[in-house]
């Protein structure tokens, strides 16, 4: 049974005796209206003079109690034992702001409500006449029970109820009925309130950091605190949140922090109502400035007054969200899972899974092993089956956050764990958000801590800087998934082909990190990210890439929207600024994520088209010869360093590897990632028969071709090698998704083909099947004299009709002394085999190739020479080659066998 709430008297706000005396001689409307106006003016003056906000909130409810009671007594009512006037909802809690809802219930028991209609109508009319906006209902105890069973909102309002006048036993009987197991079980009530909160949070994108938050309904707002109170009242019979200390769910210090947060939100809400002179719970931009002035914030060199005010609000809301998370998790364990059998799965000596939730193995884990503070998030990312963190562990985490100091930040265990989190296949954005919610991210990265709650006063951003930053990373993660392929087709393809996706996340984390400091935030952010990369032992070239992305993160969107990208000179200039495809790829994904995370209304078909056009035209310009890799020597050095680390673990002679690499040329190390270099180097060193081609098969490391197999071929280069290879793959019914064709300085081909089956499915992992592919390629490619006959073999197949007509462009690259053949056509099985056949027919030597699938279209670049290794300079031959490729490829589509 809940203890009835009794409000203390607040005579300084209303002279009750004077009110009663005036009501005997004057019209009730004038008297009660004057009393309401006078009491509010008195409370507002007291508020401005620094009165305790609790006295004002409770005092406002007490004043309304007296007004309603006096109004009620003006009318004739039947037997007082069968009727009561009851305050419900926030008013029932005894908490009212100047323009809060005033919800009342006229509760009856056995009365014919028809006989009450006149009195009820006159009573409510009087309340409206004196200026009160009343929410009212007339119900019997049975009605309350039935309504509460069907509506969680009604059930919640009735739980928070108290008698104003009439028979208090009716309210108690009603309370017992609506809190009985027959109405809602504890479990049902908790789940309903949890679902209600989740739905409310989704309307604000699940963040406390909207730029115009709602004091009541946004995450970390008053409604979150009330949700805790409702569940506590329903399950424990607690009248106040402080009762949770007795139940062991809150410590005294936590209660103090919770109370201070609630009083702050009350204070801001009271001021907002007072300044607007109406009910308003939204912190709109204009209201923010008015409130900042009211609370006497002043502009200074570090921040505007309004930014200082809102920063305080955001930090309080974040703290309230932390308490909400922790207490609801406690309630989940006590209310929903108390009867579950205990199932413990050890993860290591520090952590275990307890009924699907992560917990520490003992309460000294963080004290003895501070790195476990970081390890917690890595484990959450690696174990997607874990549903959350147990409340006791959340509390321990909060109590040990002070251990995150400068030594912690430089501890190799912690820097390694953080990088491991960024490289995790799943859970990156989720755990970064959890780190921010738990107060970890801003402590581990102090530069990030400075942007927590940092406002962005413009027409575009709808989140604070930290919330926007985490949204950027969330968007980057979403681009990877198939369900975003249709909405973001280019970003989906590009992000899954990035060699080190963690570099993209770091750029996203730091792109706006210097906002609010003064100066160019892109330049300052680049300095910060360089320091981050050094502390986290990131390679020199990767560091320069990330710094370049932060420094230039606005360049692509500004070029696309402010320059004429149909002008080839603009594309040429942008391509020279980007330098190579890898910088372009990272920058494109960062740009698209940044725009989408700024404001969902900014991403439209116009912007998507502009960025796609700029990306495609720039990529085409780079692939046709403008590509000039940035810091090429450092990139090669880093790739070799990382490959050597892998080779050392594999037990391969590092001296032998270095000697081999001297013969391979720079292009190989610019095109392959360290993992591939290491495994291919090991294979080349172990290959003892130079007369036989080396052929290896392994799963690709790129998500863009997830499930595909990489075939690496190392053999003496020879005319028609490419044509013979792709023809053999075609005869094996394999579809080439990507190809990297390189000729080393010592005349060896270093060719990689990424393949799927002909119907674009992963290859079978049957060892005999894979061995057959390997042996067939070795057998076909071991004698260059056989290449022409291999190319002549054709695979009969039924072709489907494609709409894309073949387009061929031919140009000469004076820098490389090669001819660039660009082919854009419909993808289809056997395409590369057919192009290889044309090369044989025209005596073309392939020096390098860049093969790329774009949906059902391919955009392939072939760097070719004539038989004498010279560019094809004869215009007539160029025209014949162009016509032959177009004609044969288009006929290939039309021809059906």
């Amino acid at each position: 049974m809940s203890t009835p709430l009794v409000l203390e008297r607040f005579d300084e706000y209303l002279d009750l005796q004077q009110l009663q005396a005036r009501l005997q001689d004057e019209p009730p409307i004038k008297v009660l209206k004057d009393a309401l106006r006078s009491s509010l003016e008195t409370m507002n003056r007291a508020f401005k003079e620094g009165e305790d906000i609790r006295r004002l909130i409770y005092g406002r409810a007490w004043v309304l109690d007296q007004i309603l009671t006096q109004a009620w007594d003006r009318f004739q009512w039947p037997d007082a034992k069968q009727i009561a006037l009851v305050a419900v909802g926030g008013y029932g809690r005894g908490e009212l702001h100047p323009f809060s809802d005033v919800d009342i219930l006229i509760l009856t028991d056995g009365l014919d409500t028809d006989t009450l209609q006149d009195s009820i109508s006159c009573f409510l009319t009087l309340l409206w006449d004196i200026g009160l906006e009343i929410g009212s209902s007339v119900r019997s105890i049975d009605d309350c029970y039935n309504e509460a069973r069907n509506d969680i909102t009604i059930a919640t309002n009735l739980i928070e109820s108290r008698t104003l006048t009439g028979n208090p036993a009716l309210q108690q009987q009603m309370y017992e009925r609506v809190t009985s197991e027959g109405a809602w079980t504890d479990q049902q009530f908790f789940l309903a309130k949890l679902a209600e909160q989740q739905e409310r949070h989704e309307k604000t994108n699940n963040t406390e950091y909207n730029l115009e938050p709602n004091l009541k309904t946004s995450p970390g707002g008053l409604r979150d605190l009330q949700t805790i109170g409702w569940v506590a009242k329903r399950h424990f019979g607690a009248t106040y949140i402080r009762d949770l200390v007795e139940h062991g769910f809150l410590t005294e210090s936590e209660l103090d922090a919770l109370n201070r947060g609630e009083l702050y939100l009350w204070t801001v809400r009271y001021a907002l109502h007072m300044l607007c002179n109406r009910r308003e719970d939204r912190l709109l931009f204009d209201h923010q400035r008015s409130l900042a002035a009211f609370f006497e914030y002043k502009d200074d060199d570090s921040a505007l007054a309004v930014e200082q005010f809102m920063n305080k609000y955001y930090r309080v809301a974040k703290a309230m969200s932390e308490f909400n998370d922790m207490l609801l998790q406690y309630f989940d364990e006590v209310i929903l899972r108390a009867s579950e059998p205990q199932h413990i799965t050890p993860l290591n000596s520090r952590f275990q899974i307890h009924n699907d939730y992560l917990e520490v193995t003992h309460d000294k884990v963080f004290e003895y092993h501070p790195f476990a503070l970081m390890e917690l998030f890595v484990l959450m990312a690696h174990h997607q089956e874990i549903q959350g963190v147990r409340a006791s562990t959340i509390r321990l985490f909060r109590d040990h956050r002070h251990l995150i100091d400068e030594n912690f930040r430089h501890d190799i265990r912690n820097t390694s764990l953080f990088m491991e989190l960024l490289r995790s296949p799943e859970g990156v954005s989720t755990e970064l958000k959890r780190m921010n919610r738990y107060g970890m991210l801003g402590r581990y990265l102090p530069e990030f801590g400075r942007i927590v709650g940092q406002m962005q006063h413009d027409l575009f951003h709808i989140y604070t800087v930290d919330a926007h930053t985490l949204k950027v990373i969330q968007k980057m993660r979403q681009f990877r998934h198939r369900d975003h392929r249709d909405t973001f087709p280019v970003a989906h393809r590009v992000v899954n082909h990035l060699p080190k996706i963690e570099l993209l996340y770091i750029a996203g984390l730091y792109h706006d990190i210097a906002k609010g400091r003064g100066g160019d935030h892109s330049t300052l952010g680049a300095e910060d990210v360089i320091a981050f990369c050094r502390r986290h032992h990131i390679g020199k070239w990767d560091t320069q890439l990330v710094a370049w992305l932060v420094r230039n993160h606005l360049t692509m969107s500004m070029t696309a929207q402010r320059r004429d990208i149909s002008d080839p000179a603009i594309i040429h200039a942008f391509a020279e600024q980007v330098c190579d495809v890898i910088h372009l790829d990272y920058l494109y994904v960062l740009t698209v994520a940044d725009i989408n995370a700024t404001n969902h209304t900014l991403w439209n078909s116009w912007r998507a088209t502009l960025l796609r056009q700029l990306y495609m035209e720039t990529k085409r310009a780079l692939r046709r010869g403008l590509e000039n890799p940035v810091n090429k020597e450092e990139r090669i050095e880093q790739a070799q360093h990382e490959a050597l680390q892998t080779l050392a673990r594999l037990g391969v002679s590092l001296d032998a590897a270095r000697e081999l690499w001297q013969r391979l040329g720079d292009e190989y190390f610019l095109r392959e990632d360290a993992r591939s270099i290491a495994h291919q180097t090991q294979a080349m060193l172990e290959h003892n028969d130079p007369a036989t081609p080396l052929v290896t098969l392994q799963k690709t490391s790129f998500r863009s071709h997830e499930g595909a197999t990489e075939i690496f071929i190392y053999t003496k280069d020879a005319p028609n090698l490419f044509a013979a290879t792709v023809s053999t793959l075609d005869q094996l019914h394999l579809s080439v998704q990507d190809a990297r064709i390189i000729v080393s300085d010592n005349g060896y081909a270093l060719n990689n083909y990424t393949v799927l089956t002909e119907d674009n499915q992963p290859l079978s992992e049957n060892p005999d099947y894979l061995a057959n592919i390997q042996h067939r390629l070795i057998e076909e490619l071991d004698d260059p004299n056989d290449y022409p006959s291999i190319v002549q073999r054709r695979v009969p197949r039924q072709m489907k009709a494609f709409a894309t007509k073949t387009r061929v462009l031919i140009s000469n690259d004076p820098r490389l002394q090669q001819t660039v053949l660009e082919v854009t056509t419909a993808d289809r099985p056997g395409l590369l085999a057919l192009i290889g056949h044309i090369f044989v027919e025209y005596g073309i030597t392939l020096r390098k190739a860049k093969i790329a699938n774009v949906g059902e279209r391919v955009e392939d670049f072939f760097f070719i020479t004539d038989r004498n290794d010279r560019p094809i300079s004869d215009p007539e031959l160029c025209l014949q080659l162009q016509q032959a490729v177009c004609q044969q490829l288009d006929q290939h589509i039309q021809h059906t066998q």
Side-chain angles (χ1 to χ4, degrees):
M1 181 180 296
S2 175
T3 304
L5 180 65
V6 179
L7 298 180
E8 64 175 290
R9 293 176 65 91
F10 293 87
D11 294 312
E12 67 269 34
Y13 301 144
L14 179 68
D15 187 330
L16 185 56
Q17 289 185 341
Q18 183 187 69
L19 175 65
Q20 292 169 336
R22 287 188 62 192
L23 283 170
Q24 293 177 1
D25 302 323
E26 300 178 44
I29 293 177
K30 180 179 185 306
V31 174
L32 295 176
K33 183 180 287 187
D34 286 348
L36 275 174
R37 177 184 50 77
S38 176
S39 66
L40 184 57
E41 289 174 352
T42 301
M43 285 188 282
N44 286 349
R45 282 195 300 272
F47 178 68
K48 293 175 183 177
E49 293 169 0
E51 175 66 282
D52 187 332
I53 189 64
R54 288 169 289 198
R55 292 193 61 78
L56 295 169
I57 300 304
Y58 299 140
R60 174 71 173 165
W62 180 83
V63 167
L64 266 292
D65 289 359
Q66 314 317 309
I67 299 291
L68 267 62
T69 300
Q70 294 300 318
W72 178 270
D73 290 344
R74 307 296 298 175
F75 302 97
Q76 295 296 318
W77 303 98
D79 186 353
K81 293 182 179 180
Q82 293 181 291
I83 193 168
L85 178 63
V86 178
V88 297
Y91 181 33
R93 279 196 310 275
E95 301 170 3
L96 280 184
H97 286 75
F99 295 96
S100 292
D101 292 338
V102 180
D103 293 329
I104 58 173
L105 164 68
I106 298 173
L107 183 61
T108 67
D109 182 27
L111 286 177
D112 182 358
T113 54
D114 290 340
T115 64
L116 302 175
Q117 285 300 323
D118 289 343
S119 295
I120 292 172
S121 178
C122 292
F123 171 65
L124 295 176
T125 299
L126 174 59
L127 299 184
W128 281 99
D129 287 343
I130 66 176
L132 286 177
E133 294 188 12
I134 295 290
S136 63
S137 58
V138 182
R139 296 190 180 106
S140 68
I141 293 175
D142 286 341
D143 290 338
C144 290
Y145 175 74
N146 292 327
E147 292 288 338
R149 287 180 63 188
N150 296 322
D151 191 321
I152 188 62
T153 302
I154 293 175
T156 306
N157 274 346
L158 294 178
I159 285 175
E160 296 192 305
S161 59
R162 58 191 175 86
T163 303
L164 300 178
T165 186
N167 184 2
L170 297 183
Q171 183 272 335
Q172 195 60 47
Q173 293 172 33
M174 178 273 293
Y175 179 85
E176 291 173 1
R177 290 286 305 280
V178 300
T179 58
S180 67
E181 292 287 302
W184 292 82
T185 66
D186 285 0
Q187 292 86 351
Q188 290 170 337
F189 186 84
F190 174 70
L191 287 172
K193 298 314 293 183
L194 193 60
E196 191 178 70
Q197 175 172 296
Q198 290 168 345
E199 181 180 356
R200 187 173 69 251
H201 287 183
E202 285 174 2
K203 293 178 181 178
T204 58
N205 292 309
N206 290 297
T207 179
E208 305 90 356
Y209 298 137
N210 291 290
L211 291 190
E212 294 184 311
N214 189 301
L215 285 165
K216 191 172 181 180
T217 60
S218 288
L222 289 166
R223 187 66 85 207
D224 281 5
L225 302 184
Q226 291 159 6
T227 297
I228 294 169
W230 292 329
V231 177
K233 191 178 187 74
R234 175 67 178 79
H235 183 71
F236 303 106
T239 303
Y240 304 102
I241 287 182
R242 64 173 173 265
D243 296 335
L244 291 176
V245 175
E246 298 177 12
H247 291 280
F249 294 108
L250 277 176
T251 65
E252 288 289 351
S253 62
E254 289 169 343
L255 176 64
D256 179 62
L258 200 58
N259 282 337
R260 282 187 280 110
E262 182 179 52
L263 295 181
Y264 172 82
L265 294 174
W266 276 5
T267 302
V268 174
R269 191 180 185 212
Y270 191 104
L272 184 58
H273 282 204
M274 182 182 70
L275 293 174
C276 294
N277 200 33
R278 59 182 170 81
R279 178 181 173 178
E280 177 60 87
D281 295 326
R282 297 168 300 165
L283 287 175
L284 303 178
F285 287 138
D286 288 343
H287 302 333
Q288 293 172 17
R289 285 186 280 269
S290 299
L291 288 165
F294 176 80
F295 290 114
E296 299 182 343
Y297 285 92
K298 304 294 183 184
D299 293 350
D300 59 29
D301 293 339
S302 63
L304 299 174
V306 65
E307 293 173 341
Q308 298 171 50
F309 165 70
M310 288 304 296
N311 186 268
K312 172 70 178 295
Y313 163 79
Y314 289 127
R315 290 181 182 275
V316 170
K318 181 173 177 290
M320 295 303 98
S321 282
E322 284 186 48
F323 281 118
N324 177 267
D325 281 351
M326 183 180 73
L327 289 171
L328 289 183
Q329 179 58 38
Y330 266 127
F331 294 158
D332 179 279
E333 295 165 13
V334 170
I335 297 172
L336 296 184
R337 304 176 188 275
S339 60
E340 288 184 354
Q342 301 301 295
H343 183 68
I344 306 293
T345 304
L347 294 178
N348 55 38
S349 62
R350 297 169 296 281
F351 290 97
Q352 60 193 21
I353 303 175
H354 182 169
N355 288 13
D356 299 327
Y357 282 77
L358 186 68
E359 72 174 2
V360 291
T361 53
H362 57 86
D363 61 7
K364 299 292 185 181
V365 162
F366 297 130
E367 180 181 344
Y368 295 162
H369 310 287
F371 71 87
L373 292 165
M374 183 69 77
E375 184 183 23
L376 179 148
F377 303 99
V378 177
L379 292 174
M380 290 294 296
H382 287 183
H383 295 270
Q384 292 293 294
E385 73 276 13
I386 300 177
Q387 296 181 20
V389 182
R390 285 184 68 86
S392 57
T393 298
I394 296 175
R395 168 172 286 141
L396 277 173
F397 186 97
R398 287 169 48 83
D399 291 343
H400 289 85
R401 290 182 301 195
H402 66 277
L403 297 174
I404 305 169
D405 56 14
E406 200 62 20
N407 290 331
F408 183 98
R409 297 181 195 107
H410 284 85
D411 190 320
I412 187 65
R413 291 171 295 184
N414 298 318
T415 57
S416 299
L417 283 167
F418 190 70
M419 290 306 300
E420 186 177 347
L421 173 62
L422 294 183
R423 295 183 181 112
S424 297
E426 304 295 337
V428 174
S429 64
T430 299
E431 295 315 311
L432 287 176
K433 287 179 181 178
R434 194 191 307 274
M435 288 181 74
N436 194 36
R437 199 163 65 247
Y438 286 8
M440 170 79 173
L441 194 55
R443 285 177 169 85
Y444 181 67
L445 303 175
E447 56 272 30
F448 187 88
R450 289 195 287 271
I451 62 169
V452 171
Q454 173 71 44
M455 292 192 67
Q456 305 187 79
H457 273 285
D458 56 41
L459 298 175
F460 306 112
H461 289 86
I462 61 174
Y463 305 111
T464 57
V465 181
D466 58 321
H468 162 72
T469 296
L470 295 177
K471 286 281 182 186
V472 167
I473 296 175
Q474 181 183 24
K475 286 295 178 184
M476 293 170 172
R477 297 290 292 177
Q478 290 173 346
F479 293 160
R480 300 158 61 246
H481 302 308
R482 291 184 181 275
D483 54 358
H484 283 72
R485 181 169 52 186
D486 293 338
T487 309
F488 301 99
V490 180
H492 172 77
R493 185 175 69 254
V494 172
V495 77
N496 284 313
H497 203 68
L498 295 178
K500 294 182 180 179
I501 199 166
E502 68 271 17
L503 302 182
L504 178 68
Y505 303 149
I506 296 169
L509 197 58
Y510 276 81
H511 79 288
D512 276 352
I513 208 156
K515 278 195 170 180
R517 294 191 210 166
D520 183 347
H521 77 277
S522 300
T523 301
L524 295 174
E527 295 172 1
D528 282 354
V529 83
I530 289 171
F532 170 92
C533 290
R534 288 172 179 165
R535 180 154 58 92
H536 289 79
H537 310 285
I538 294 172
K540 191 173 180 180
W541 189 87
D542 288 349
T543 297
Q544 292 178 342
L545 168 62
V546 174
W548 182 90
L549 289 169
V550 173
R551 195 178 299 113
N552 293 279
H553 73 272
L554 297 173
T555 302
M556 192 167 194
S557 61
M558 292 174 65
T559 302
Q561 296 176 67
R562 299 181 185 181
R563 306 295 296 274
D564 179 10
I565 58 174
S566 63
D567 183 349
I570 299 298
I571 299 298
H572 188 280
F574 182 68
E576 288 188 328
Q577 186 175 3
V578 171
C579 292
D580 57 34
V581 172
I582 195 166
H583 280 70
L584 176 66
D585 284 349
Y586 277 102
L587 182 61
Y588 175 79
V589 179
L590 174 59
T591 302
V592 176
D594 191 15
I595 294 173
N596 278 272
T598 297
N599 186 328
H600 61 88
T601 63
L602 291 180
W603 186 252
N604 51 38
S605 59
W606 173 70
R607 282 191 173 87
T609 300
L610 286 178
L611 283 169
R612 182 170 59 248
Q613 180 182 346
L614 178 58
Y615 173 80
M616 300 304 291
E617 293 296 331
T618 305
K619 186 174 182 179
R620 183 172 291 113
L622 292 170
R623 297 180 77 185
R624 290 178 65 186
L626 274 180
E627 190 164 28
N628 182 25
V630 179
N631 302 314
K632 182 171 73 171
E633 291 77 14
E634 291 176 359
R635 184 172 167 189
I636 293 170
E637 180 184 345
Q638 180 179 304
Q640 292 181 346
H641 174 73
E642 293 175 1
L644 286 172
Q645 290 180 315
T646 302
L647 289 169
R649 290 194 294 269
L650 295 172
V652 176
S653 168
L654 302 189
D655 290 338
R658 292 189 185 96
E659 183 181 350
L660 170 66
W661 290 349
Q662 290 178 3
R663 303 192 297 270
L664 299 186
D666 292 348
E667 183 72 15
Y668 174 71
F669 297 99
L670 293 171
R671 296 286 294 275
E672 299 299 325
D673 62 20
R675 170 181 171 273
S676 296
I677 292 170
H679 288 288
Q680 291 168 10
T681 297
Q682 182 182 27
M684 285 186 280
L685 290 174
E686 294 174 353
H687 185 62
N688 298 318
D689 184 2
T692 303
L694 167 66
V695 178
T696 68
L697 284 73
Q698 67 175 18
K699 288 292 184 182
T700 182
S701 58
F702 291 103
R703 278 183 60 95
S704 55
H705 302 303
E706 194 166 12
T709 297
E710 279 193 3
I711 299 176
F712 173 64
I713 298 173
Y714 175 66
T715 189
K716 187 71 175 176
D717 190 35
N720 306 324
L721 171 62
F722 168 77
T725 303
V726 293
S727 294
T728 302
L729 293 174
D730 185 43
Q731 292 154 24
L732 287 165
H733 299 285
L734 299 178
S735 173
V736 178
Q737 305 295 305
D738 186 27
R740 301 185 299 280
I741 309 300
I742 302 171
V743 178
S744 69
D745 290 349
N746 64 339
Y748 271 75
L750 300 155
N751 299 343
N752 276 282
Y753 299 88
T754 302
V755 300
L756 294 169
T757 64
E758 200 168 63
D759 53 357
N760 289 325
Q761 296 300 312
L763 274 61
S764 167
E765 295 186 7
N766 183 299
D768 293 338
Y769 170 71
L770 298 176
N772 178 62
I773 295 173
Q774 183 182 37
H775 294 151
R776 177 73 178 276
L777 284 166
I778 293 172
E779 180 182 319
E780 297 286 26
L781 301 180
D782 65 349
D783 186 354
N785 294 322
D786 294 338
Y787 292 174
S789 62
I790 295 171
V791 172
Q792 296 300 323
R793 302 175 199 155
R794 308 300 289 272
V795 180
R797 50 167 57 89
Q798 187 79 20
M799 297 297 302
K800 65 177 181 178
F802 289 83
T804 304
K805 294 283 289 182
T806 299
R807 182 172 67 93
V808 175
L809 297 176
I810 297 178
S811 61
N812 282 318
D813 186 337
R815 180 172 58 88
L816 295 176
Q817 287 295 299
Q818 295 171 354
T819 298
V820 182
L821 175 69
E822 178 184 352
V823 179
T824 303
T825 188
D827 192 19
R828 86 295 296 261
L831 172 64
L832 290 179
L834 183 58
I835 293 174
H837 181 270
I838 296 171
F839 287 171
V840 172
E841 181 181 345
Y842 280 83
I844 299 297
T845 299
L846 179 68
R847 309 306 302 171
K848 187 169 64 174
K850 300 177 182 178
I851 310 298
N853 288 25
V854 186
E856 292 190 341
R857 190 178 80 253
V858 296
E859 295 179 355
D860 296 344
F861 289 78
F862 302 94
F863 294 78
I864 57 179
T865 62
D866 61 18
R867 289 187 177 91
N868 299 316
D869 287 336
R870 295 175 181 173
I872 302 172
S873 56
D874 182 356
E876 183 64 27
L877 179 57
C878 288
L879 180 61
Q880 291 176 11
L881 179 61
Q882 182 182 40
Q883 291 175 342
V885 173
C886 289
Q887 182 179 0
Q888 293 192 41
L889 293 191
D890 289 341
Q891 285 181 349
H892 185 232
I893 292 174
Q894 298 166 7
H895 182 64
T896 301
Q897 291 183 319

